[in-house]
Amino acid sequence: MDICSVEKCTGCGTCFEICPQKCISFDFDEFGFRVPNVDESLCLECGLCIHTCPEAAELSIKNNGEPKVYATWCKDANVVKRSTSGGAFYAIASNILSRNGVVYGCTVDESTKVLHIRVDNLCDLSKLHGSKYVQSNLYGIYKSIRSDLLQGCIVLFSGTPCQVAGIYSYLGSIDKSNLYTIDLVCHGSASPGFFQQYVEETSKEYHDKIVNIEFRNKEKSKKYFVSKIHFSQRPPVYISALDDDYMSCFLRCGIYRECCYECRYATINRVGDFTLGDFFGVNPSSVSNTDYRNGISLLLVNNSKSSAIFEAILDDINYLERPLSEAINTNLNLVHPSRKPSFRDELLKKDGRTIHEKKVMFCSNSWKTKLAAIISRTMPYRLLVLANVKRKSDKSSQ
């Protein structure tokens, strides 16, 4: 039984979580993505999985108006330092926790598995800091959120737009007045299998076990993307995104799920209460050079519900209202999906070649790209992403 087509499946896991017979498993496909498999000998054909799957139904989004757009950064410099950009997530999450709520977000555990966890105190909130450029595992999260809401708890969930859609679909008619959601400006959900291969090969290269990876660490450079790789014994290693095998493949859009290249959530009519990303494109004259270099968050306030939270955190953040066009300028994934490269399938398939070998073959950056990054004094990430976003004109010419 097909729940939805392989091309449309986001791997959100609602079908797995909703099945009363537990006859759906999530297994890795040839490209390292989790996909549902139905044991038809146990299936009752109740249809719950299909009914709950957000990709098997018409897209329904309640945020119909144009969002309020803000450039934001926390007043606490230590929060900004630990955050990928300006720390807007921390400000929102801290407010939820101060009201005895709980926060669900993504982390990297000690075995380098990327997964969502539940946090109910400020100390553990640090586990959710920073971007993770790997599709996370949501095992058990839907049921935990449902339980929290039924007990009257305030809940904040942060994830990709398709994960947010999965949450809403799974919860169905349950009262969601205490649920707040953040959808991220997403370039694509990267293969967990590909990432684990990278971890294994990099551990072998440095003769030590990797215990954590920070994809956007600011210690060595606030302006350029630098990964900080933590090992069990040796000192950490810092690698720029242009030199890192995994991030090079990510930035070339070569390791995303098939559905990402036709993402229906890449629209200004957002699925979450908030939308969060980097604000590279904020007008430099509107913020100080120091603040810009330290990191500015793009925050879209998509409805009255999120507006109330935004008002509650104003004492903790610096903020500037900006035009929507400024946000889209360097966050094209707000309105367009990423472009699928011709080498994507070959890059993801396990064929005996190392990720480094594949990176050299498919994803090495030309001297022109590196020179442009130096001359423009902007992030290589921004240059690469803008070059690999599928515009509407591309679609119409196909």
Side-chain angles (χ1 to χ4, degrees):
M1 180 179 69
D2 291 328
I3 300 169
C4 74
S5 68
V6 174
E7 293 76 20
K8 289 184 177 180
C9 179
T10 65
C12 69
T14 55
C15 57
F16 171 81
E17 297 287 351
I18 203 71
C19 179
Q21 286 294 102
K22 308 300 179 189
C23 66
I24 300 176
S25 60
F26 249 53
D27 306 312
F28 287 105
D29 67 7
E30 60 179 329
F31 298 130
F33 294 105
R34 298 181 188 90
V35 294
N37 288 302
V38 180
D39 184 344
E40 297 195 16
S41 67
L42 299 176
C43 180
L44 298 177
E45 298 187 7
C46 65
L48 269 177
C49 56
I50 297 175
H51 177 73
T52 307
C53 174
E55 307 311 310
E58 290 294 323
L59 183 60
S60 176
I61 297 176
K62 296 180 180 179
N63 299 324
N64 296 318
E66 186 171 294
K68 290 284 189 178
V69 179
Y70 297 96
T72 63
W73 62 104
C74 280
K75 292 179 179 179
D76 188 335
N78 289 323
V79 171
V80 175
K81 183 179 179 180
R82 296 195 306 268
S83 303
T84 295
S85 49
F89 167 76
Y90 182 89
I92 298 169
S94 296
N95 177 267
I96 297 296
L97 292 175
S98 72
R99 298 157 61 190
N100 295 318
V102 296
V103 178
Y104 290 84
C106 187
T107 191
V108 181
D109 71 10
E110 293 181 356
S111 62
T112 65
K113 297 296 189 295
V114 180
L115 70 161
H116 266 66
I117 60 171
R118 180 183 186 272
V119 166
D120 60 7
N121 64 83
L122 205 56
C123 291
D124 285 342
L125 191 57
S126 61
K127 297 177 182 179
L128 308 183
H129 267 291
S131 299
K132 290 87 179 177
Y133 296 107
V134 187
Q135 184 170 36
S136 65
N137 190 342
L138 292 174
Y139 178 75
I141 294 299
Y142 294 123
K143 292 177 182 177
S144 183
I145 290 176
R146 182 180 186 274
S147 176
D148 282 331
L149 291 175
L150 289 175
Q151 294 178 50
C153 188
I154 300 172
V155 174
L156 173 68
F157 175 86
S158 175
T160 61
C162 56
Q163 290 176 332
V164 172
I167 293 290
Y168 285 131
S169 185
Y170 176 86
L171 293 174
S173 60
I174 289 176
D175 180 18
K176 305 176 190 65
S177 58
N178 280 340
L179 174 64
Y180 297 87
T181 56
I182 299 174
D183 72 60
L184 306 173
V185 181
C186 180
H187 310 293
S189 295
S191 166
F194 189 87
F195 176 67
Q196 286 306 311
Q197 182 183 347
Y198 163 79
V199 169
E200 293 167 6
E201 292 175 358
T202 306
S203 295
K204 185 176 181 180
E205 177 185 355
Y206 287 96
H207 307 288
D208 197 0
K209 179 183 178 182
I210 293 177
V211 294
N212 192 19
I213 295 179
E214 298 175 57
F215 292 100
R216 298 266 300 278
N217 182 274
K218 294 179 178 178
E219 294 172 10
K220 298 295 183 181
S221 174
K222 298 172 183 175
K223 194 170 183 63
Y224 292 91
F225 276 36
V226 175
S227 296
K228 181 180 181 181
I229 305 176
H230 299 262
F231 296 88
S232 62
Q233 301 294 330
R234 62 162 293 147
V237 171
Y238 299 84
I239 309 176
S240 73
L242 286 176
D243 296 323
D244 182 71
D245 294 337
Y246 180 82
M247 286 304 296
S248 292
C249 296
F250 180 91
L251 294 175
R252 288 295 302 274
C253 307
I255 55 175
Y256 305 161
R257 292 189 79 101
E258 186 68 40
C259 62
C260 298
Y261 304 110
E262 299 291 340
C263 179
R264 61 179 182 163
Y265 302 103
T267 171
I268 206 60
N269 188 17
R270 307 299 296 180
V271 68
D273 298 315
F274 292 100
T275 296
L276 192 59
D278 299 295
F279 210 155
F280 300 136
V282 65
N283 189 325
S285 64
S286 63
V287 297
S288 72
N289 186 55
T290 298
D291 287 331
Y292 181 82
R293 290 179 65 87
N294 286 340
I296 305 291
S297 296
L298 168 66
L299 183 64
L300 305 188
V301 178
N302 298 323
N303 53 41
S304 58
K305 191 175 180 181
S306 54
S307 181
I309 296 291
F310 181 73
E311 292 291 330
I313 65 172
L314 292 184
D315 288 342
D316 301 319
I317 61 172
N318 301 294
Y319 67 96
L320 295 168
E321 188 168 359
R322 306 304 301 165
L324 180 59
S325 58
E326 192 173 272
I328 294 173
N329 184 38
T330 47
N331 279 288
L332 290 181
N333 285 112
L334 276 171
V335 292
H336 301 296
S338 296
R339 186 198 308 271
K340 180 181 177 179
S342 59
F343 55 77
R344 181 261 188 185
D345 291 2
E346 191 172 355
L347 175 63
L348 282 174
K349 277 186 178 179
K350 280 196 172 185
D351 56 9
R353 286 179 292 182
T354 65
I355 288 178
H356 178 71
E357 289 172 333
K358 290 184 178 182
K359 177 247 185 175
V360 170
M361 178 174 293
F362 300 117
C363 301
S364 290
N365 297 295
S366 69
W367 67 269
K368 291 182 179 179
T369 301
K370 295 179 181 179
L371 182 61
I374 295 172
I375 293 174
S376 66
R377 303 287 298 171
T378 190
M379 290 191 176
Y381 171 84
R382 171 183 169 182
L383 294 175
L384 286 167
V385 168
L386 292 181
N388 288 284
V389 169
K390 179 185 290 186
R391 299 174 182 268
K392 290 182 179 178
S393 57
D394 297 329
K395 289 184 177 181
S396 62
S397 63
Q398 291 177 348

